[in-house]
Amino acid sequence: MESINAKYVSQKISKTRWKPVSYSSLQQPEVFATGSWDNEDNKISFWSIGNHGGPGMEDGFEGDPQLLCEHKHDGDVLDLQFLDQDRIVTTSSTGAVTIFRHHQNSQTISVSQHWTRAHRYPCDNAPCTGVVCSSPEIVTVGEDGRIIVFRADQEGVIRVIENADSSTIHAVTYLRTTEILTVNSIGQLKLWDFRQQSNSPSQILSLSGDRVPLHCVDRHPNQQHIVATGGQDGMLCVWDVRQGNTPFSLMEAHSAEMWEVHFHPTNPDHLFTCSEDGSLLHWETSSHSEMPSFLQGGRNNSMLSRSAMAPAGGNQSLISTWLSGDSSKGRLETTHMLPSQTLSVNSLDVLGQCLVCGTDGEAIFVNRQVPV
């Protein structure tokens, strides 16, 4: 735990995201953005873990996050994504979608686009729960069951799928350039193909049995058909959208809601989850073969996994096979990434060897030496 810096920020943090770094450069990320929730005045903030003062820094550790600038945000920040190096998109509990620009020379933030009440009920605002960006395209989802497509360079709305869902859509991600994936409050994953004019999903997958709300989704960066989700029961589900309509595997992960799941963007043998139970888990596959083991696709590759002891019960050692087959058996190991705490870890992001997370304990944790 020595490599973790904790910064107390006097506001509950709902979202944390690293500013992208170019793949060509091997540099580690230095700047991240946070959004807050459940405070009198919410805001978005930009932070740096760069070593500003040279080696002889007096104020804090190397890597202790320094606030660069902040801006008021109407409503809770329910999601936050970087559109490019200078702009972030936030979604609000008021139903609004906003693009903020970070001016790096003056360290100020300005609003560059704002769509008020993009998500709404007939007589009230509907929280906008999730956003995914592929510049200039922006896709949002909400409690109103709508999917909305915007472009950063246009003021109007490009497309609305009005009744995409009869329940709350909690999260959205791209599957491919023209396809998105949404998860909802009745345990369903829906695929949407934007090449179709149809307002219905091209595929629906769902948890069998109890319709446990799904809160988060992430796609494997190299194998687009492999998707991880987490939900209200704290289980980690891995899906193969090419086959079957139910999860490939279910693993005991957390003892309360899982708020976010992220594959490592460049080393997807590693996956990270965070939860209402106050924990952040690092899932790592260790394979005994030459091939990277993590869900390499194909039928002859199998994965044995043994979950971490769930913090509550302590006696679950669930064995599950991630992909069926008989060669290159591997094992999944889980590590707790944070000192034990009681309040929810709401958000995490990982890039290079750097991990950042935000909590209801009004803290941001940064780890610059994630073993990936």
Side-chain angles (χ1 to χ4, degrees):
M1 305 280 177
E2 338 37 82
S3 51
I4 292 184
N5 294 102
K7 178 90 172 180
Y8 292 91
V9 294
S10 307
Q11 48 182 339
K12 291 182 182 177
I13 299 296
S14 54
K15 290 289 157 184
T16 56
R17 296 287 178 258
W18 288 110
K19 174 180 166 177
V21 292
S22 63
Y23 279 115
S24 54
S25 71
L26 295 171
Q27 80 216 55
Q28 292 295 318
E30 283 200 351
V31 173
F32 63 90
T34 61
S36 74
W37 82 288
D38 198 26
N39 304 288
E40 272 184 38
D41 293 310
N42 289 301
K43 46 194 174 192
I44 54 153
S45 312
F46 283 85
W47 307 81
S48 172
I49 58 166
N51 198 344
H52 303 295
M57 271 177 74
E58 296 301 318
D59 52 344
F61 305 96
E62 182 205 1
D64 204 26
Q66 307 292 322
L67 180 65
L68 297 175
C69 50
E70 54 190 15
H71 194 286
K72 184 176 184 301
H73 187 273
D74 290 329
D76 296 338
V77 177
L78 296 188
D79 203 1
L80 182 158
Q81 299 291 342
F82 273 87
L83 183 63
D84 53 30
Q85 291 282 319
D86 304 307
R87 293 177 295 174
I88 61 169
V89 184
T90 66
T91 70
S92 172
S93 54
T94 65
V97 178
T98 311
I99 304 177
F100 292 94
R101 183 178 289 277
H102 177 209
H103 304 275
Q104 295 175 53
N105 296 338
S106 57
Q107 288 305 345
T108 54
I109 301 170
S110 63
V111 175
S112 68
Q113 270 282 28
H114 181 70
W115 292 276
T116 320
R117 295 190 69 215
H119 290 267
R120 58 187 180 271
Y121 297 118
C123 310
D124 197 7
N125 299 339
C128 179
T129 50
V131 60
V132 67
C133 309
S134 175
S135 186
E137 192 175 74
I138 297 165
V139 182
T140 65
V141 296
E143 233 175 67
D144 54 356
R146 270 197 184 91
I147 297 173
I148 307 181
V149 183
F150 306 90
R151 280 180 66 98
D153 49 10
Q154 293 183 31
E155 285 187 17
V157 168
I158 303 300
R159 182 173 177 188
V160 180
I161 302 180
E162 277 295 343
N163 298 305
D165 218 303
S166 56
S167 59
T168 295
I169 306 177
H170 279 143
V172 58
T173 189
Y174 278 105
L175 199 60
R176 294 178 186 79
T177 324
T178 57
E179 286 179 290
I180 62 161
L181 196 60
T182 59
V183 294
N184 69 13
S185 60
I186 55 170
Q188 292 176 320
L189 237 85
K190 295 185 181 180
L191 271 68
W192 304 85
D193 188 340
F194 284 158
R195 290 167 300 190
Q196 314 293 328
Q197 285 315 301
S198 153
N199 282 351
S200 41
S202 54
Q203 193 180 344
I204 300 179
L205 300 91
S206 65
L207 295 166
S208 51
D210 298 338
R211 300 208 147 190
V212 176
L214 293 173
H215 290 303
C216 53
V217 58
D218 196 27
R219 185 206 79 193
H220 190 287
N222 312 331
Q223 312 262 333
Q224 274 100 332
H225 55 93
I226 290 165
V227 172
T229 63
Q232 189 170 300
D233 56 1
M235 297 285 277
L236 173 64
C237 304
V238 177
W239 312 67
D240 182 341
V241 299
R242 296 175 311 180
Q243 12 187 326
N245 291 320
T246 53
F248 229 98
S249 68
L250 292 155
M251 278 150 289
E252 298 271 355
H254 296 279
S255 59
E257 293 94 334
M258 185 191 295
W259 293 130
E260 287 192 10
V261 56
H262 293 283
F263 285 101
H264 190 284
T266 51
N267 188 353
D269 277 5
H270 299 260
L271 178 127
F272 300 82
T273 60
C274 66
S275 167
E276 181 71 28
D277 68 11
S279 65
L280 194 160
L281 292 177
H282 174 189
W283 304 71
E284 176 186 2
T285 64
S286 52
S287 166
H288 305 300
S289 76
E290 293 303 305
M291 283 174 65
S293 62
F294 200 51
L295 304 176
Q296 273 301 310
R299 294 171 177 269
N300 53 359
N301 182 6
S302 94
M303 194 64 243
L304 262 183
S305 68
R306 193 169 67 86
S307 85
M309 295 301 184
N315 61 353
Q316 299 92 338
S317 61
L318 187 84
I319 301 282
S320 77
T321 310
W322 282 31
L323 289 182
S324 56
D326 52 12
S327 68
S328 77
K329 290 201 165 75
R331 175 143 285 171
L332 193 71
E333 295 168 7
T334 46
T335 315
H336 281 270
M337 297 287 290
L338 286 182
S340 91
Q341 44 160 32
T342 52
L343 293 170
S344 177
V345 181
N346 296 323
S347 182
L348 74 97
D349 197 22
V350 61
L351 190 57
Q353 283 191 294
C354 295
L355 180 138
V356 60
C357 69
T359 74
D360 272 357
E362 304 192 339
I364 298 166
F365 293 93
V366 175
N367 184 332
R368 302 176 65 157
Q369 294 169 4
V370 178
V372 290

